[in-house]
Structures are given as C-alpha cells and as structure tokens.
Amino acid sequence: MTQRPVLTRTRDELARALAALRGRRALVMTMGALHAGHLELVKRAKEAGDHVVVTIFVNPTQFAPGEDFDAYPRTLEADMDALATVGADLVWAPAPEDAYPEPIDVSIDPGPIAKVLEGASRPTHFAGVALICTKVMGLVRPDVAFFGEKDAQQLAVLRHVFAQLDVPVKVEGVPIVRDEDGVALSSRNRYLSEEERIRARSLSAGLRAGAEAGAKGASADEAVAAVVEVLEDAGGIDIDYVALVDEGTFTVLAATAGVALGAEEDHARVTGAAGGGRPARLLVAARVGTTRLIDNTALVLKERAGE
C-alpha cells in the first residue's frame, strides 16, 4: 500500500495543499463509494499528471426532490484506503457549506444536449453537475480532468460546457470498467438483490447485440431494436430508454418511443459523413427492481445505400 493522500475539507485547506504541489495537475471528481471504475480513473490520471487530486462530494444540486441524495452511500474512510493503493496525492471532501459557501442563486444551463435522455428523466441534473464541476475547475485549476464513459451524456455535457465557457482544462474520457459478468461497475449495484443482479446482465448483453447489429450494417433504428429485444427477452427489465446518438454531437439518431430525436438537419450532418461510417454510441437506462441503471457502448454506424 502506498501513502494515503492528504485529506482536505475546507477551501483554505485545499488551497494550502494545492500550493505545495508542483507540476502538472490531474483531477478526478467522484461522489465517493469508490469502486474499481473510479480507481481506473485515478490510474489514468496518474499517468497524465505529476499530481492527482480527487474530489469526494455528494453534490446536492444534481439531485431532485425524491432522489437518493440522503441514501447515497458515504464511505470516506474506505475511499481513502482505496485511493492509497493507486497513488492519489490529494483529496478534497468538503461539506456542502464548503462547496457552496453562499446561497445558490446562480445556475448553468448546458443547452439542448442536457434536455434529452438522462436530462429528460432528471431535468435539473446536468445543471447541477455543470455547476459543481465548473466550480471545482476554478478551485483546483487542473491541467487535465478524467471522467468515466459510463456517464456518457455527462461527459458530453461537460465537454460542451467547458468549451462554451472557455474553462482551461483538457477533458479525457475513460472506458467503462465491467465486472466479470459484464455489468458496468456502479455504486448503485449494491442495491441489487442476487436475482436482480442476474437480470442486470441483460443491459450489457443487449448493448453487445446492438453493436453487433451495427457492425453488420444495421440502421440506427435496427440497432436500437436489437437492444430492446434482448432486454424484453430477459424479463423483469423496466426500460426507460434505449437510444443511439452521434458520438460527437450527442444528437439522438434513433430511440425507443417517447424520446425526442435530433433536428432533421442534424441527422443529415451526422449520417452523411464520408469514410464508410459515423462514430456513435448506444445507450440504455432501465430499472431492475427499484434500482435504475445506465450503460452504453460505442459503435460505428455504417452508411447504407441511398442514405
């Protein structure tokens, strides 16, 4: 085990600890309850920076009333032990009053990218994410920040917000870390019963089926349908949405009923790319029992004759 990272709580403690760090700074933002997926972010950050700063903060502004803010696991001691194994240098674990020392009367509207899919299910979520992440960028001033691709829409939102606001940080996405059964690692997996855990495997299985269909030349709608078929065959899966989006713009190209698609001109722009295909991403959100899970995978949407 390597040395435990320095733990700071207040803004002053964070500022003093940062002043002692020389060289390139890499940041990983988390809400704690760390698992191997979070630790992979830290490992990647360690490769990219001289020092790795990790935040552990359950951010209240990204939770709506009735969501699991109070129940969200808080395991700081275990998190500090885990971070010691991957070489994190500094942790900021503020109380809400340290993160938000003044009443919150400012918000960030990330624009249309935050209104679909997760944004439609949780209308205030991405505004809260954008607010805390922008604040932390100003406090930590990292050269590079690492975010997991499991939260693909969050990653797209933050790239958009930081570009629009000229936040001077390079954003790097890190591929999803999966358990041996294919389930994407998530702090919420702990809520699954043994039987629900077995059913949860159908999310990654469905995404594989959709990606395989896309590789064989399926349309966007056909790739989405391939995912839905696997989920429905598994049974006990309450689908929120299955969608295929353009990797670069996050324009929704195809989705299950009730999900708004991108504008017609956006479709023409993203599906008309030369070179035999367009990078895209299949996403799924579903409830297994009472636990809401999300997952996604990358694919190349091939051009089809006549399109």
Side-chain angles (χ1 to χ4, degrees):
M1 179 178 288
T2 57
Q3 185 174 351
R4 257 191 169 206
V6 173
L7 175 62
T8 62
R9 300 279 198 167
T10 68
R11 288 170 171 241
D12 287 343
E13 289 173 350
L14 174 64
R16 287 195 296 270
L18 288 171
L21 303 182
R22 297 289 182 267
R24 185 173 169 82
R25 218 174 267 174
L27 172 67
V28 174
M29 293 188 65
T30 82
M31 293 204 300
L34 302 184
H35 51 63
H38 297 111
L39 300 185
E40 183 63 25
L41 296 177
V42 178
K43 292 175 185 176
R44 289 286 299 275
K46 193 73 175 175
E47 295 171 357
D50 298 300
H51 300 284
V52 179
V53 181
V54 178
T55 63
I56 297 176
F57 178 58
V58 183
N59 174 41
T61 67
Q62 67 193 67
F63 288 82
E67 292 186 339
D68 58 351
F69 173 73
D70 291 330
Y72 198 89
R74 291 157 170 85
T75 57
L76 182 59
E77 284 303 307
D79 293 343
M80 292 293 291
D81 289 341
L83 290 172
T85 68
V86 288
D89 298 285
L90 174 61
V91 170
W92 188 42
E97 57 269 23
D98 290 304
Y100 298 102
E102 299 178 3
I104 304 166
D105 56 10
V106 170
S107 63
I108 295 176
D109 181 353
I113 194 173
K115 302 294 192 294
V116 298
L117 304 177
E118 289 303 292
S121 299
R122 307 174 68 190
T124 63
H125 175 69
F126 287 122
V129 170
L131 180 61
I132 189 61
C133 289
T134 302
K135 286 167 68 70
V136 170
M137 295 303 152
L139 291 168
V140 175
R141 302 179 304 281
D143 298 284
V144 58
F146 288 82
F147 296 91
E149 290 180 357
K150 178 176 166 292
D151 296 302
Q153 190 171 2
Q154 173 179 280
L155 177 58
V157 165
L158 292 176
R159 282 177 166 151
H160 178 66
V161 168
F162 294 162
Q164 291 275 306
L165 298 181
D166 294 316
V167 177
V169 64
K170 181 180 180 182
V171 175
E172 294 281 2
V174 177
I176 296 171
V177 177
R178 299 184 180 278
D179 218 328
E180 292 180 356
D181 60 0
V183 176
L185 295 186
S186 170
S187 301
R188 289 192 168 97
N189 289 350
R190 67 184 66 196
Y191 301 145
L192 297 170
S193 69
E194 184 175 346
E195 188 271 335
E196 289 167 347
R197 174 69 188 224
I198 294 172
R199 280 188 277 142
R201 298 171 186 168
S202 64
L203 272 69
S204 59
L207 290 170
R208 286 195 302 273
E212 289 168 3
K216 295 175 182 176
S219 68
D221 287 320
E222 289 166 344
V224 167
V227 181
V228 172
E229 182 178 3
V230 172
L231 297 180
E232 290 182 342
D233 286 347
I237 306 293
D238 184 9
I239 300 173
D240 187 349
Y241 62 78
V242 178
L244 189 141
V245 303
D246 175 73
E247 183 76 86
T249 66
F250 226 81
T251 298
V252 180
L253 305 178
T256 45
V259 176
L261 302 184
E264 184 175 344
E265 58 269 24
D266 289 335
H267 278 251
R269 178 161 57 91
V270 299
T271 61
R278 178 73 183 191
R281 191 163 289 270
L282 265 172
L283 306 104
V284 59
R287 289 190 182 276
V288 183
T290 60
T291 305
R292 187 174 186 273
L293 301 175
I294 61 173
D295 201 350
N296 68 82
T297 192
L299 62 81
V300 174
L301 187 64
K302 294 185 177 181
E303 291 184 24
R304 291 152 63 94
E307 292 186 337

